[in-house]
Structures are given as structure tokens and as C-alpha cells.
């Protein structure tokens, strides 16, 4: 696989898309929604922001965060209301460009987090042994909360090793820890909605991301 094109909004923290200096051992997180202009860009950039807050490292210990859409608006900018939500959290919206989900994105992803169960099903249907590493965002959060951090590799082993162990543990729990309702694992689409609804979705995404990033890094959010 070749490195992603510059300016695609999928890099390792370098908004130019340059991968010079990228750690050899990496872990890719792929966020998936429909158009890749609302939910998945918000989730991508809030995840990056949270990782930078925890680790203070532009390469985030080898974690790479990107996004795509099952019906992605290829080359499109992020929705203005999505940018406003990111600004509320102090997260960077610059340099983002929408992408359509391709096989190569799924192949190289170590963890795929989708907005809805339908997105999850679409990713899994693409093959590439994606089933054990694909979850809805809120599903993954629910599973992560049930995992004892003491069972994960220590931080001294690196964030990548910890992330891989977290995905394996979540996959093992999936059949045992079910969602309380059908809707519990969904993040609904704010496309075309007014800013207050976007902000409610942003809050929902942020609440889902926080325990995941804490589990990945072993570092709680700054108060």
C-alpha cells in the first residue's frame, strides 16, 4: 500500500499528510459514516484532539486516525456545522477532505468504528476479515468500559500493543455484553440539521470517545 495522499484529512497529526518520521509500528483507527462530511469527520478530529491531549505527541505513539464514508462525498469539505462543533471542543477542522470508503481503507485498518449498525454491516460485507475489528463507536465504548485496564499491556509496552489487546478483548466480549436497546449503539445523522442538533451529536460522540481514548492510552482526560 502507498501512503495516503496529502490533504486527505487522514494523517497522523501532520495536516500536510506527510508521513516522514512515522513510527514503524502503527495502529490505524478508521471512523466510518455515510457521507464523510458530518459524523465521521467529527469523530476523527475529536479522537485526534483527545489523543494529543493525553499523549502530547504529534505521532500519538503510533496511532493513526482517519475516516471515510460508505457513500462518501469524495473531495468534499466538512459540513460547516461539523466545523462549528469541532471549534466548540477546541479541535482542529483544517485540511479535511471527504473520502469514499474503499477496500484498501478497511484492509489497513486495525480498528473500524462506525456511526451505525448498518455502516458496520457494510464494512464487514467488504470482507478482509473485518468482523473482529469492526464495531459501532458506541458499541466499542460499551465493551471497553467492561474491560479491566489491568488486563491490558502496560504503557511501557507502547500504545500500539495496548490498542491491539483492547480490540481483541472487546471482540471477545461482544457476544456476552449486549446493547440495552436497538438504538443504543447508533449515532444518528445530523446532515441538514440545525447547529443545535449537530452540537448534541458532537456531545454524544465526545462522550463515546473519552473512555476509548483513556483505555487506549492509559491516561485520563485532563480536568
Amino acid at each position: 500500500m502507498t501512503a495516503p495522499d496529502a490533504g486527505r484529512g487522514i494523517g497522523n497529526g501532520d495536516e500536510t499528510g506527510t508521513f516522514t518520521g512515522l513510527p514503524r509500528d502503527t495502529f490505524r483507527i478508521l471512523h466510518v459514516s455515510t457521507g464523510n462530511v458530518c459524523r465521521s469527520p467529527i469523530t476523527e478530529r475529536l479522537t485526534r484532539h483527545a489523543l494529543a491531549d493525553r499523549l502530547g505527541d504529534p505521532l500519538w505513539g503510533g496511532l493513526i486516525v482517519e475516516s471515510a464514508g460508505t457513500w462518501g462525498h469524495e473531495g468534499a469539505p466538512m459540513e460547516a456545522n461539523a466545523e462549528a462543533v469541532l471549534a466548540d471542543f477546541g479541535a482542529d477542522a483544517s485540511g479535511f477532505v471527504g473520502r469514499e470508503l474503499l477496500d484498501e481503507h478497511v484492509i489497513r485498518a486495525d480498528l473500524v468504528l462506525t456511526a451505525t449498525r448498518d455502516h458496520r454491516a457494510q464494512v464487514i460485507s467488504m470482507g478482509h476479515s473485518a468482523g473482529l475489528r469492526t464495531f459501532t463507536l458506541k458499541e466499542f465504548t460499551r465493551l471497553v468500559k467492561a474491560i479491566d485496564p489491568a488486563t491490558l499491556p502496560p504503557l511501557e509496552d507502547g500504545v500500539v500493543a495496548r490498542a491491539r489487546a483492547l480490540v481483541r478483548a472487546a471482540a471477545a466480549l461482544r457476544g456476552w455484553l449486549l446493547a440495552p436497546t436497538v438504538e443504543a449503539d447508533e449515532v444518528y445523522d445530523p446532515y441538514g440539521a440545525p447547529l443545535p442538533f449537530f452540537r448534541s451529536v458532537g456531545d454524544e460522540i465526545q462522550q463515546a470517545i473519552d473512555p476509548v481514548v483513556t483505555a487506549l492510552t492509559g491516561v485520563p482526560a485532563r480536568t
Side-chain angles (χ1 to χ4, degrees):
M1 292 293 169
T2 58
D5 297 335
R8 302 297 290 174
I10 60 171
N12 60 354
D14 179 357
E15 297 302 340
T16 68
T18 302
F19 278 67
T20 302
L22 186 67
R24 181 174 299 175
D25 195 17
T26 59
F27 183 94
R28 289 180 180 271
I29 302 171
L30 174 66
H31 293 293
V32 175
S33 62
T34 303
N36 195 215
V37 292
C38 298
R39 287 169 292 181
S40 50
I42 291 173
T43 313
E44 173 196 311
R45 294 308 176 93
L46 287 181
T47 302
R48 290 188 186 188
H49 183 67
L51 287 169
D53 178 68
R54 305 298 209 286
L55 300 178
D57 182 339
L59 297 182
W60 302 323
L63 299 180
I64 302 169
V65 185
E66 53 190 3
S67 65
T70 56
W71 291 89
H73 297 290
E74 187 73 24
M78 192 185 309
E79 282 286 295
N81 282 347
E83 291 189 3
V85 167
L86 292 175
D88 290 343
F89 289 100
D92 185 12
S94 65
F96 182 84
V97 182
R99 302 191 304 171
E100 183 174 355
L101 181 67
L102 301 176
D103 289 289
E104 67 187 70
H105 305 144
V106 177
I107 290 168
R108 66 191 182 190
D110 298 287
L111 172 63
V112 183
L113 298 176
T114 69
T116 70
R117 290 168 298 146
D118 283 346
H119 297 132
R120 182 185 65 193
Q122 287 179 266
V123 171
I124 293 172
S125 73
M126 295 171 73
H128 315 303
S129 303
L132 291 177
R133 52 194 167 91
T134 303
F135 309 79
T136 75
L137 171 64
K138 292 171 75 174
E139 173 192 21
F140 193 68
T141 300
R142 174 166 47 79
L143 297 171
V144 162
K145 286 181 176 179
I147 297 169
D148 182 355
T151 65
L152 299 174
L155 294 179
E156 291 77 12
D157 290 354
V159 177
V160 169
R162 188 178 177 95
R164 289 176 178 155
L166 188 68
V167 172
R168 290 194 298 269
L173 278 177
R174 178 152 42 191
W176 298 93
L177 190 62
L178 303 179
T181 66
V182 173
E183 295 80 14
D185 288 341
E186 307 277 299
V187 176
Y188 291 107
D189 193 355
Y191 185 75
L195 181 57
F197 187 73
F198 266 83
R199 284 183 165 140
S200 70
V201 169
D203 289 340
E204 189 177 355
I205 290 171
Q206 176 65 23
Q207 290 171 22
I209 287 171
D210 182 73
V212 171
V213 173
T214 297
L216 284 170
T217 63
V219 181
R222 298 179 187 180
T223 56

